[in-house]
Amino acid sequence: MNPRTGNGQTAEPASADGAGSLSRAGDLFQLLRDGKARTRAELALTTGLARSTVASRIDALIASGLVGPAGEATSSGGRPPSRFAFKPAARAVLAVDVGATHVIIAVTDLGGNILSERRLAQDVAEGPEAVLGRVVTEATSLLAETGRTAGDLAGVGIGLPGPVEHATGMPVKPPIMPGWDGFDVVSHVQRSFPVPVLVDNDVNIMALGERTAHWPEHDNFLFIKVATGIGAGIISNGELQRGANGTAGDLGHVRVPRGDDVLCRCGNYGCLEALASGPAVARALAAHGVAAESGADVLRLVAEGNLQAIQALRQAGRDVGDVLATVVNLLNPSVIVVGGSLGQAGEHLMAGVREVVYRRSLPLATAHLRIGLSMAGGQAAVLGASQMVTQHVLSPTVIEATLQATG
C-alpha cells in the first residue's frame, strides 16, 4: 500500500479462529460503519467469533475513538447489555475541490457530513504553490471555525481539473494547469497536514460524491461534468474506473462529427470540448453577434430567456449526447448524471442529451436508463473528496494499522 495516497484498500479475509485481539478489529469495524448500534452479543452472533474476542476488539475500537457507547439494549433478565456504534464525529476530513477558476474547501466528519465550507475565486493557472498555499491557509482557518485542529484530521482529499496519477497524486500533463505537471501535491500538502493525502481528477470525485449521496443502489453509474472542460467519472460494478494512467472518462477530446473544422486547444479538430463546453458555447454565440465571453454569460442569457442562447445550449446537449450514445452502448450504465456549471441551465442542456442518447443507443441499453441532473450540485466534488478519504482511512487494513500503532 502506498502510505502517501492510500491505494491498496482490499480487505483481507476474516480470520476463521478470531486469533489476536487486534488482528481483525478492522473487519469487525466494517459492520459498525452503517451507524446501527449493536451489542457485543449481536456482533458475536453475526461474526461467529467468541464473545471474549469481540469484547477485546470493541475495547480497542473504543480506545481509538472510532466507536462509542450508544445506549442499552432491552434486557431479557439482569443488567441491560450495552450497545456500541460508529462515531463519525471522532475525526475530521478536509475535502478540497480545485476547479479552473474556483476552489471549494470543506470540513466533514467521517460520515461525509459537511460541517463547514468555503468557496473562493481562484485561477488554477496561477500554479500549484499559489493555489495549494491558499488552500492550506483557508483550510486552517476553516478548521478553527469548526472547533477543530490539524490534529483532528483523518486525511485530506483533493480533486484537480485534469488527469491525475492516483498512485502518486501527481497531475499528468493537465491542459489547463500550467506548472502543475508532475508536481508533488501530496508532499506539499503534508508539510502542513501530516496525514494521508489523496488526489484525483475532479470528475472522478464528483462521481463518488453524487453516487454516495444520492444513488448508492446503482453500481453502474456515469457522472458527466460540462463546464470549462468536459469529462466523465465512471463507476462500474461499484468501483471507480481510473484507467491505466488516470485518464479514463476524458470525453472532452472525443471527436464529434459536426466539428471537423473546429480546432481544440489539444491540437486536434472536432473535440467535444471545443463545441459543447461553456467557453465553446459562448464563442458560438459571439460569432452570431450575441455578447458572451464565458460559460457564466451563457447561463445568464439562458436565464434571461435569450432564444439564441437556449438553442446553442440545446445543441451542446446534442453534441454531448452524440458521445454519450457510444458510451452507453459500451458501458451500459443504469444512471447518467449531468453536472458542472452548464448543468445548472437544467432542462435545456438535458433535452439535447436525452434526444440523442435515446435515439442512437441500443434499445436494450436504454430500456431502464435514467438521465438526470446532479442533485449534489456544487457540493458533489467535496462530498466525493471526503468519501475518497474515508474509504481509505476506514478500510480494514488501515484500521488494523492504526490500532496496532496505538495499541
Side-chain angles (χ1 to χ4, degrees):
M1 183 179 70
N2 187 328
R4 289 154 46 87
T5 58
N7 290 334
Q9 299 172 24
T10 304
E12 299 172 16
S15 169
D17 59 9
S21 62
L22 296 180
S23 62
R24 299 283 11 121
D27 289 312
L28 186 68
F29 173 71
Q30 303 310 307
L31 298 176
L32 296 168
R33 281 187 62 181
D34 62 5
K36 180 181 176 181
R38 295 173 175 84
T39 65
R40 291 182 176 90
E42 289 170 336
L43 288 167
L45 183 63
T46 301
T47 62
L49 299 172
R51 289 197 185 190
S52 60
T53 301
V54 169
S56 64
R57 295 177 186 179
I58 288 294
D59 288 344
L61 290 168
I62 290 173
S64 75
L66 293 172
V67 169
E72 296 179 335
T74 303
S75 174
S76 58
R79 183 178 178 180
S82 298
R83 284 182 169 173
F84 303 90
F86 171 43
K87 293 173 59 180
R91 304 291 296 280
V93 173
L94 192 61
V96 182
D97 168 29
V98 177
T101 57
H102 74 266
V103 169
I104 303 174
I105 305 168
V107 177
T108 79
D109 64 16
L110 292 174
N113 301 300
I114 295 177
L115 307 177
S116 188
E117 182 182 85
R118 188 169 294 175
R119 294 168 179 257
L120 313 166
Q122 175 68 57
D123 191 339
V124 73
E126 290 186 20
E129 294 188 355
V131 173
L132 295 176
R134 191 173 186 197
V135 165
V136 167
T137 298
E138 297 288 345
T140 301
S141 173
L142 200 60
L143 283 168
E145 285 182 12
T146 59
R148 302 278 187 154
T149 67
D152 295 321
L153 284 179
V156 179
I158 302 174
L160 297 177
V164 174
E165 185 181 60
H166 187 62
T168 64
M170 293 182 182
V172 181
K173 296 180 173 58
I176 63 169
M177 300 170 63
W180 287 79
D181 184 27
F183 186 82
D184 194 343
V185 175
V186 174
S187 293
H188 190 88
V189 174
Q190 284 181 332
R191 293 174 195 166
S192 301
F193 302 122
V195 294
V197 175
L198 289 87
V199 187
D200 207 340
N201 171 265
D202 60 348
V203 188
N204 283 345
I205 64 170
M206 291 171 85
L208 277 178
E210 184 78 31
R211 176 181 177 248
T212 301
H214 299 286
W215 307 89
E217 70 279 14
H218 290 272
D219 286 343
N220 296 283
F221 177 91
L222 284 178
F223 185 95
I224 312 300
K225 177 186 176 184
V226 185
T228 303
I230 299 176
I234 304 168
I235 294 176
S236 180
N237 292 326
E239 297 292 331
L240 182 64
Q241 305 300 311
R242 296 184 173 92
N245 301 107
T247 64
D250 193 0
L251 299 185
H253 299 286
V254 174
R255 181 176 173 275
V256 177
R258 80 174 185 92
D260 284 346
D261 59 345
V262 179
L263 179 64
C264 180
R265 61 185 171 184
C266 74
N268 290 324
Y269 285 87
C271 293
L272 176 62
E273 187 175 298
L275 281 86
S277 66
V281 176
R283 285 194 298 271
L285 287 171
H288 288 85
V290 179
E293 297 180 357
S294 66
D297 291 332
V298 175
L299 296 179
R300 174 181 53 78
L301 289 166
V302 169
E304 293 171 354
N306 184 288
L307 290 179
Q308 286 178 281
I310 291 171
Q311 290 170 354
L313 196 59
R314 182 155 185 161
Q315 180 57 51
R318 294 189 188 100
D319 293 332
V320 173
D322 261 327
V323 173
L324 287 183
T326 300
V327 174
V328 167
N329 289 337
L330 183 67
L331 299 180
N332 189 205
S334 60
V335 174
I336 297 175
V337 170
V338 179
S341 58
L342 285 198
Q344 296 173 13
E347 291 305 315
H348 299 299
L349 182 74
M350 292 301 301
V353 172
R354 291 190 179 110
E355 175 187 334
V356 177
V357 169
Y358 286 119
R359 185 180 75 239
R360 294 193 53 192
S361 299
L362 294 173
L364 183 60
T366 58
H368 303 289
L369 175 64
R370 299 175 64 178
I371 305 176
L373 291 170
S374 170
M375 290 187 279
Q379 292 185 325
V382 290
L383 290 173
S386 175
Q387 176 70 9
M388 179 170 62
V389 171
T390 57
Q391 282 181 353
H392 168 58
V393 300
L394 299 183
S395 66
T397 302
V398 176
I399 291 292
E400 294 295 336
T402 301
L403 295 177
Q404 291 178 8
T406 59

